[in-house]
Amino acid sequence: MSLLESITHYPLGDSALVLVFGQTIAESTNLVIKRVCTSFDSLVHPAILEYVPAYTTVTVYYDPLLLTYDNLFALIGERLTTLTTDESHDVVDKRIPVWYNGPDLNDVAEHTGLDHDTIVKMHVAPVYRVYMIGFVPGFPYLGGMDKRLATPRKKTPRLRIDAGSVGIAGEQTGVYPMETPGGWQIIGQTPLNLFDMAREQPSFLALGDRLRFEAIDEETFFKLKEQSYGF
């Protein structure tokens, strides 16, 4: 079955089209979205401004003065008919070292009833998947965290979260790539630089990547930090 037969779509305002690939967050849906976005990389048209993948959708922004909604979908449809729902796809495995010294470890422990060592063991155990990049450039929304670690966002967000902070919000976990306000529960910090405009690919992580967290101690953290680890 072609992808064109399996999706729905709707307009978002007068200059965007939303492709819907499912209703729930799932690795199979993420694989399809990854394949579609890879295909869109070579879809060049002066009316197509950008596309933004999310958990179950891809939103295509366009100039309505150059292309109508129907003609845009017809153009996209031609591309989608060449793709299938086959789930096989290359993925990239990455590693993110973390010094689990976060200021909110006690809050996570109190909410979950788990001690610090158990929290760390459960956080490094899964293979996570990057479902989308958003909030700020390079911020990964990761799927795969053990639900026993789920902890609500802080009631009052911090005005400043340091770059590299590893957090938990509900059943999600992620890493702040740059200094920003934020309300996630901070459990650790990585010396890895997740976003750098000087790179050809500024974001260390991309849609569809798989990754593992790896616990490191304070000495290793600062040693890697001095080496500008990740560049």
Side-chain angles (χ1 to χ4, degrees), residues 2-78:
S2 75
L3 280 178
L4 189 59
E5 300 173 89
S6 65
I7 66 171
T8 59
H9 63 96
Y10 62 86
L12 182 65
D14 62 358
S15 58
L17 179 154
V18 181
L19 300 169
V20 182
F21 296 86
Q23 299 299 322
T24 58
I25 300 171
E27 181 171 338
S28 57
T29 303
N30 181 257
L31 286 167
V32 170
I33 289 175
K34 172 71 173 178
R35 191 179 309 115
V36 168
C37 290
T38 299
S39 174
F40 283 0
D41 286 343
S42 60
L43 183 60
V44 178
H45 190 285
I48 298 177
L49 305 178
E50 65 172 333
Y51 63 85
V52 179
Y55 278 123
T56 60
T57 64
V58 176
T59 301
V60 182
Y61 294 88
Y62 68 103
D63 185 342
L65 298 179
L66 299 178
L67 198 64
T68 67
Y69 180 91
D70 289 340
N71 287 338
L72 172 63
F73 184 72
L75 183 64
I76 291 174
E78 291 178 5

Side-chain angles (χ1 to χ4, degrees), residues 164-191:
S165 295
V166 178
I168 289 174
E171 296 183 2
Q172 299 182 102
T173 188
V175 187
Y176 287 81
M178 59 188 65
E179 181 182 315
T180 176
W184 291 37
Q185 305 281 357
I186 304 304
I187 61 172
Q189 189 173 17
T190 178

